[in-house]
Amino acid sequence: MPYKISITEDADRQFQSLPVRDQRILEAAIRSRLQHQPTTPTKAIKRLRPNPFADYELRAGDLRALYNVDEGEVVVLVVGRKVGNKLIVEGEEFHGHQDHPTEPSGNGPEENTE
């Protein structure tokens, strides 16, 4: 039975910010790799070290999708591009897995409240 694939609003916005060619590449990878065995490690699928944000990473060239799997559903949480050892999401380095797990863009509460 195929897994249901859903994408969060943030991940959809991040996906839409990619060039159309990259969107097609990533969409094809998500459909082909995550519908049937999203938790089976391959060259394209990697289980991440324990963190409060995502359990798995899908690789499609330099494109990445971070996701979780829960009861027959794959939830894509973050979409970005790997540059060196950094994940770039919407033009900025992604730190959501470290700093603000619920805020992937890194735009946490503002420090200055004038």
Side-chain angles (χ1 to χ4, degrees), residues 1-4 34-38 71-73:
M1 184 169 135
Y3 283 77
K4 177 184 176 196
L34 301 186
Q35 273 192 327
H36 297 288
Q37 295 182 327
E71 297 182 22
E73 182 177 17

Side-chain angles (χ1 to χ4, degrees), residues 89-108:
V89 176
E90 293 182 308
E92 296 184 13
E93 187 175 347
F94 176 73
H95 294 286
H97 61 291
Q98 298 169 350
D99 302 331
H100 303 283
T102 59
E103 298 171 14
S105 63
N107 296 331

Side-chain angles (χ1 to χ4, degrees), residues 55-68:
D55 295 329
Y56 296 92
E57 174 185 73
L58 172 67
R59 301 172 180 186
D62 64 345
L63 301 171
R64 300 291 187 267
L66 303 182
Y67 66 95
N68 286 332

Side-chain angles (χ1 to χ4, degrees), residues 6-68:
S6 61
I7 186 166
T8 63
E9 285 183 31
D10 284 342
D12 186 50
R13 186 185 66 249
Q14 296 157 3
F15 180 79
Q16 298 300 325
S17 74
L18 294 172
V20 173
R21 180 177 185 273
D22 291 343
Q23 289 179 26
R24 289 183 182 145
I25 291 168
L26 192 55
E27 181 179 11
I30 288 170
R31 287 180 190 230
S32 68
R33 305 231 180 233
L34 301 186
Q35 273 192 327
H36 297 288
Q37 295 182 327
T39 60
T40 303
T42 65
K43 283 187 173 187
I45 296 173
K46 175 183 174 186
R47 183 164 181 100
L48 299 173
R49 281 180 260 176
N51 69 76
F53 194 75
D55 295 329
Y56 296 92
E57 174 185 73
L58 172 67
R59 301 172 180 186
D62 64 345
L63 301 171
R64 300 291 187 267
L66 303 182
Y67 66 95
N68 286 332

